[in-house]
Amino acid sequence: MKIKINRKEFCDAFVVGSQMAGKSKVLSVLDNAKVVIRGNNAYVTSNSVQCCVTKKAMLVSSDGDVEFLVNPNDLLKGLKSLRDNELTITISSVSLSIAHNRGRIEIPVMGATDFPMMDKVESSDVYTLDSVRLSSWLTVAGSFASTDELRPVLCGMLLYAKGGVIGACATDTRILFADSYEADTVKDVECVIPSSAFSALKTLLRGTESVDVALNEKHISFKTDDARLICQLQIGRFPDFSRVIPQGNNISVSVGMDDLIDAINRVGLFTDKSHSLVRMDIQGMLCRLTGSDLNLGKSATDECMCQHSGDDIKIGVSAEYLLKCINSLSYGDIVMTFSEPNRPILFKDSVNERMQMLMMPMSLNE
């Protein structure tokens, strides 16, 4: 059978729909993408066992229906090497042939019978989330989620709806990010989206305004007008993060983002790479950062002007984690609040008052 495609639209669909191909270490069939032709629509699906993504593309024309498996890298390389915007593809039981004005490309295909699919998530409770906000949450969560496979529930982002609030949280127990917004909620729900789904979900959300979210006991589904992502939920109950967010920090420091980032980057070059410990010494209107590597006999000190209220404080921080927190905040002055050298540091966002980030300090051993 033959189909005519718009090359750009078909490529875009394959980029989204084939993201999970090759990510399974168990089934070799999942190295391929499944293509389903129904009428003038093509559906591209890939599966990693943990996540399954499908993207729809409109065809110019089709003379039948067919299902087949194809290596997405081979097909994309072939399509991207061409300049023609409209192409004719001939599909047989063993190959896919792309005719163009200077020749032909042949790519092997196989039957789709053995390709596993995830069942659609059926739920009467569907939440519609803002795509831009969800995508920004996933971007931040990528830096905050744990990579410790012994604690899988922390290897992802908590997404919850409760009491008129929809929110997200991610933590590796050293740093934590949380954000929320007011919205109509049907009932209290929460789930943990695995970090392996972050990239695919952000790609699926690109260019959309909203996404419909539904979940059951084992899976969560994200659906836009022309794409769907289904993924397994992380097993376990996410800890009550609200209990660790400090409420009584009485020391506040405001410092310019650029100045602080420059200081951390310079001092961080001379810290012990095994822990990247930096001493933050706040006295009056001065924030002094000091890092050293005693084993190699090197050290560095940098200073920033700041606005400071409350007592002076000396506290140990990880340069790596401090940068993760700062880079996730809106541009402007960084506001940090403290209570004691062994208590969490809370970061306030200059634009979003609901955004909360905290970092656990490190011992200075002085």
Side-chain angles (χ1 to χ4, degrees), residues 17-59:
S18 66
Q19 291 179 90
M20 293 299 158
K23 294 188 176 182
S24 170
K25 299 178 181 179
V26 181
L27 299 174
S28 59
V29 69
L30 297 182
D31 293 343
N32 302 290
K34 179 179 179 179
V35 182
V36 178
I37 307 296
R38 292 286 183 270
N40 283 343
N41 293 321
Y43 300 88
V44 182
T45 300
S46 59
N47 191 353
S48 68
V49 177
Q50 191 175 35
C51 299
C52 181
V53 60
T54 299
K55 174 73 171 179
K56 181 176 75 172
M58 295 289 292
L59 303 176

Side-chain angles (χ1 to χ4, degrees), residues 38 88 126 182 225 246 321 331 339 345:
R38 292 286 183 270
T88 298
V126 177
E182 295 181 356
D225 290 340
Y321 285 129
Y331 185 82
S339 59
I345 305 167

Side-chain angles (χ1 to χ4, degrees), residues 253-260 305 307 326 329-336 348-351:
V253 176
S254 177
V255 60
M257 176 179 281
D258 287 343
D259 291 342
L260 186 56
M305 297 302 296
Q307 295 181 353
I326 293 172
L329 296 168
S330 302
Y331 185 82
D333 289 345
I334 303 298
V335 178
M336 301 173 286
K348 296 183 178 180
D349 191 86
S350 59
V351 175

Side-chain angles (χ1 to χ4, degrees), residues 92-235:
S92 72
S93 60
V94 294
S95 68
L96 176 153
S97 175
I98 306 172
H100 57 96
N101 58 2
R102 297 178 61 181
R104 182 180 299 274
I105 296 173
E106 295 278 348
I107 299 172
V109 301
M110 64 181 75
T113 305
D114 297 329
F115 191 87
M117 298 286 287
M118 284 188 179
D119 294 333
K120 292 183 180 180
V121 177
E122 302 294 343
S123 175
S124 58
D125 300 325
V126 177
Y127 287 94
T128 300
L129 273 60
D130 177 84
S131 293
V132 174
R133 187 186 295 267
L134 179 56
S135 184
S136 67
W137 283 349
L138 293 166
T139 299
V140 177
S143 298
F144 283 70
S146 175
T147 57
D148 182 2
E149 295 182 356
L150 296 178
R151 304 187 68 183
V153 73
L154 297 182
C155 299
M157 184 184 79
L158 172 71
L159 184 66
Y160 67 90
K162 182 178 181 180
V165 170
I166 293 177
C169 177
T171 181
D172 66 356
T173 71
R174 289 289 306 279
I175 52 177
L176 180 146
F177 135 79
D179 192 14
S180 63
Y181 66 95
E182 295 181 356
D184 293 334
T185 56
V186 181
K187 65 177 182 180
D188 293 354
V189 295
E190 67 174 50
C191 64
V192 178
I193 305 169
S195 54
S196 59
F198 288 2
S199 177
L201 182 51
K202 287 195 294 182
T203 304
L204 181 145
L205 296 172
R206 196 175 298 151
T208 67
E209 295 183 357
S210 63
V211 57
D212 291 337
V213 182
L215 70 154
N216 56 28
E217 293 181 353
K218 295 183 179 181
H219 298 90
I220 185 168
S221 167
F222 300 89
K223 184 179 182 299
T224 64
D225 290 340
D226 58 1
R228 183 192 299 270
L229 172 71
I230 302 173
C231 62
Q232 295 178 356
L233 300 175
Q234 295 289 52
I235 299 173

